[in-house]
Amino acid sequence: MSVLIIVFLTAIAALFAGVFEKGKFSRYIGILGLLIAFYVSYLPDCEFFKQYLSMFDFGANTALFTKISIVITLLLFFLGGFAFSNHRSHQSELYALMLFSLCGGIVLFGYQNLVTLFLGVEILSIPLYVLAGANKTDLRSNEASIKYFLMGAFATGFLLLGIALVYGSSGSFDLYKVYEFGIANTKDLMFKMGAILILCALAFKTSMAPFHMWSPDVYQGSPSLITIFMMTVVKTSAFYAFFKIMTIGFAGIIAEWINIIGVLIIITLLLANVLGLAQSNAKRMLAYSSISHVGYIALIFFGINSLSAYNLAFYLFAYSLATVGVMMCLIWVEKLKRETSYNAFSGLGHTEPILAVTATISLLSMAGIPLTAGFMGKFSIFAQAIEQAPFLVLVGVLGSALSIAYYLRIIMAMFFPKDSSFKTTEKVTLTYNIVAVFIVAALIAIGIFPDLFARQFGL
């Protein structure tokens, strides 16, 4: 809980820094606070916070996922100087809201009962409704904010009704008491309905088809840096919360919901990859790519073992790094070309080779090409699920094959332009190049030596 308090205080400081120099110091305050929080995440939690263990437990898995989210948020803050250059009058609010949302994510990593789950989901989501509409003069951004808010409120209704039914039947909000009730009362209809409603609500939060309808429009309309935050930190938080409640709270009735998740995986992988192929806009294509990755990640529910949480963390970290690598390239192109079509990337490989190579390695990692972190992430999840759900793994492999086709469209545009080249006198900043080199090095290093991931995160 020490990490949570540090991030919260950093958000407050970043918000009030907006009073000075139009918030130019907010980003640096955020970076400093996140670095301190990252360091503290390696330390045992304060004894004082043990009295809150029934609500929030900063255990090993919580610490691992918190570190991943802090690292990704740090990368986004480093990119923020250029990405938020047109938000100079209210940068402090944007950084503060991202940190407040991260607070919600940390709550979701350590929640121990259903009330804390609800609080975490809302703290995570409410700042995002504002962030999605940060481009106030852009109709797409306004649409993204309204759509996300309305659909989010609808999903919250499902979550609250599910929690009410579970509490009404089990008499407790505690995850482990809910688990014990499920074991002893496998035929309780109210309990099963509550579990399925919570499943639907969290499937929405992770943008799992057919609960994904909001994602393409929200991801495309939001400022690109906020889109990355939603694709990475928010997805990591929501999916671990999903994984935790289904494998702990509702583990006693797994037969009632596992087949539902299997059907959702098939719909997600086929729908997202087919629609990804049909897109002409790179940002919208990456939105469908993000949806498809939820399908691969959801295979973690099959063949659960003692390494499942670690495999989930590895995949989410690899996916998040690759997403940042591709989207930082998109941010640069969008700022200079004012568009995100595939043609906007034409010739980028000759003008900004570091940025183009980073995007290429990241896309190959997303596709699961060997010697990248994405390959090891997919391999570990597929290997876990192969015995219990071979058909779903086959669908996952098919989805990966389809994804290569639309990833290659960006790569071909960058390095093999047909009729135009990327011309600009403005050069990529040193910060962007440093982040790009870090991402490439990390994706390749943990792809070849996956144990490095465990070592770097203190496992």
Side-chain angles (χ1 to χ4, degrees):
M1 190 172 281
S2 303
V3 177
L4 176 60
I5 291 173
I6 290 169
V7 174
F8 174 74
L9 292 176
T10 302
I12 295 291
L15 181 62
F16 282 97
V19 176
F20 309 100
E21 300 291 331
K22 294 185 178 180
K24 65 181 290 186
F25 301 113
S26 296
R27 184 164 70 103
Y28 303 109
I29 291 171
I31 290 171
L32 178 61
L34 288 169
L35 287 171
I36 295 170
F38 186 69
Y39 171 74
V40 171
S41 68
Y42 284 89
L43 306 177
D45 213 6
C46 265
E47 292 288 325
F48 173 78
F49 297 122
K50 286 190 175 179
Q51 59 187 308
Y52 301 109
L53 284 178
S54 62
M55 299 288 287
F56 181 89
D57 179 23
F58 196 77
N61 285 339
T62 304
L64 172 60
F65 283 90
T66 298
K67 290 168 189 173
I68 290 171
S69 293
I70 290 174
V71 168
I72 300 302
T73 307
L74 262 172
L75 292 178
L76 299 187
F77 270 60
F78 282 120
L79 300 177
F82 178 77
F84 284 156
S85 58
N86 60 332
H87 296 279
R88 297 194 184 279
S89 62
H90 58 281
Q91 281 192 23
S92 57
E93 297 98 301
L94 301 180
Y95 292 119
L97 287 169
M98 288 173 70
L99 290 169
F100 283 129
S101 186
L102 177 60
C103 287
I106 295 172
V107 171
L108 289 178
F109 295 141
Y111 77 93
Q112 292 296 296
N113 68 37
L114 299 179
V115 174
T116 319
L117 167 65
F118 170 72
L119 290 174
V121 167
E122 292 308 294
I123 295 169
L124 178 77
S125 302
I126 291 172
L128 295 173
Y129 302 150
V130 181
L131 288 168
N135 285 337
K136 299 174 185 176
T137 58
D138 186 350
L139 290 177
R140 285 184 181 275
S141 185
N142 295 333
E143 178 192 356
S145 180
I146 294 171
K147 185 170 289 188
Y148 197 15
F149 171 72
L150 293 176
M151 296 298 289
F154 188 69
T156 297
F158 272 70
L159 179 63
L160 281 175
L161 182 56
I163 290 173
L165 292 176
V166 169
Y167 177 75
S169 55
S170 67
S172 176
F173 290 115
D174 186 88
L175 277 186
Y176 294 95
K177 290 181 180 177
V178 168
Y179 165 72
E180 291 169 3
F181 179 86
I183 288 287
N185 301 272
T186 56
K187 302 296 184 182
D188 190 300
L189 181 61
M190 184 186 294
F191 185 77
K192 290 189 287 188
M193 286 299 297
I196 292 171
L197 284 171
I198 291 173
L199 184 157
C200 292
L202 293 177
F204 168 88
K205 293 299 179 183
T206 57
S207 64
M208 197 173 193
F211 304 98
H212 72 291
M213 293 82 72
W214 59 275
S215 296
D217 292 335
V218 172
Y219 287 176
Q220 185 179 11
S222 302
S224 293
L225 197 73
I226 305 306
T227 301
I228 307 176
F229 186 76
M230 289 192 283
M231 286 179 170
T232 56
V233 175
V234 174
K235 191 151 288 186
T236 299
S237 305
F239 208 97
Y240 181 67
F242 192 13
F243 175 78
K244 190 172 183 178
I245 194 168
M246 302 312 291
T247 57
I248 297 178
F250 302 134
I253 56 166
I254 189 170
E256 307 296 334
W257 54 261
I258 193 68
N259 290 330
I260 295 175
I261 288 185
V263 172
L264 296 182
I265 288 172
I266 295 172
I267 296 171
T268 301
L269 289 174
L270 295 181
L271 185 69
N273 283 301
V274 170
L275 290 177
L277 282 170
Q279 302 307 309
S280 59
N281 183 285
K283 191 174 182 182
R284 196 169 180 86
M285 177 276 287
L286 290 170
Y288 280 106
S289 166
S290 179
I291 295 167
S292 73
H293 279 277
V294 179
Y296 306 126
I297 299 168
L299 286 167
I300 200 74
F301 288 108
F302 295 85
I304 293 173
N305 55 47
S306 59
L307 290 175
S308 293
Y310 174 80
N311 291 338
L312 177 62
F314 188 99
Y315 189 102
L316 285 168
F317 183 64
Y319 158 76
S320 297
L321 276 180
T323 300
V324 175
V326 178
M327 289 295 291
M328 66 183 289
C329 180
L330 184 140
I331 287 172
W332 181 261
V333 171
E334 184 180 29
K335 285 283 185 181
L336 299 182
K337 294 292 189 73
R338 307 292 181 185
E339 62 167 328
T340 54
S341 65
Y342 290 111
N343 289 334
F345 291 82
S346 294
L348 182 64
H350 304 293
T351 308
E352 293 293 348
I354 295 178
L355 211 56
V357 168
T358 301
T360 300
I361 298 296
S362 299
L363 289 167
L364 294 177
S365 181
M366 283 183 174
I369 302 301
L371 302 183
T372 63
F375 170 77
M376 292 306 303
K378 282 186 179 178
F379 178 80
S380 60
I381 289 182
F382 287 179
Q384 174 189 307
I386 188 69
E387 289 189 15
Q388 186 178 344
F391 177 72
L392 292 180
V393 173
L394 180 62
V395 174
V397 173
L398 175 62
S400 294
L402 286 173
S403 70
I404 294 173
Y406 53 77
Y407 292 147
L408 281 176
R409 293 179 69 181
I410 294 183
I411 297 172
M412 295 294 290
M414 289 190 296
F415 292 100
F416 307 101
K418 290 182 178 180
D419 51 15
S420 64
S421 60
F422 197 96
K423 295 178 181 179
T424 177
T425 56
E426 189 170 355
K427 293 296 181 183
V428 172
T429 62
L430 178 62
T431 304
Y432 264 59
N433 282 329
I434 291 172
V435 172
V437 170
F438 170 80
I439 289 172
V440 170
L443 288 174
I444 294 175
I446 64 175
I448 299 174
F449 305 105
D451 287 346
L452 283 175
F453 172 78
R455 293 175 190 170
Q456 294 304 313
F457 286 97
L459 300 179

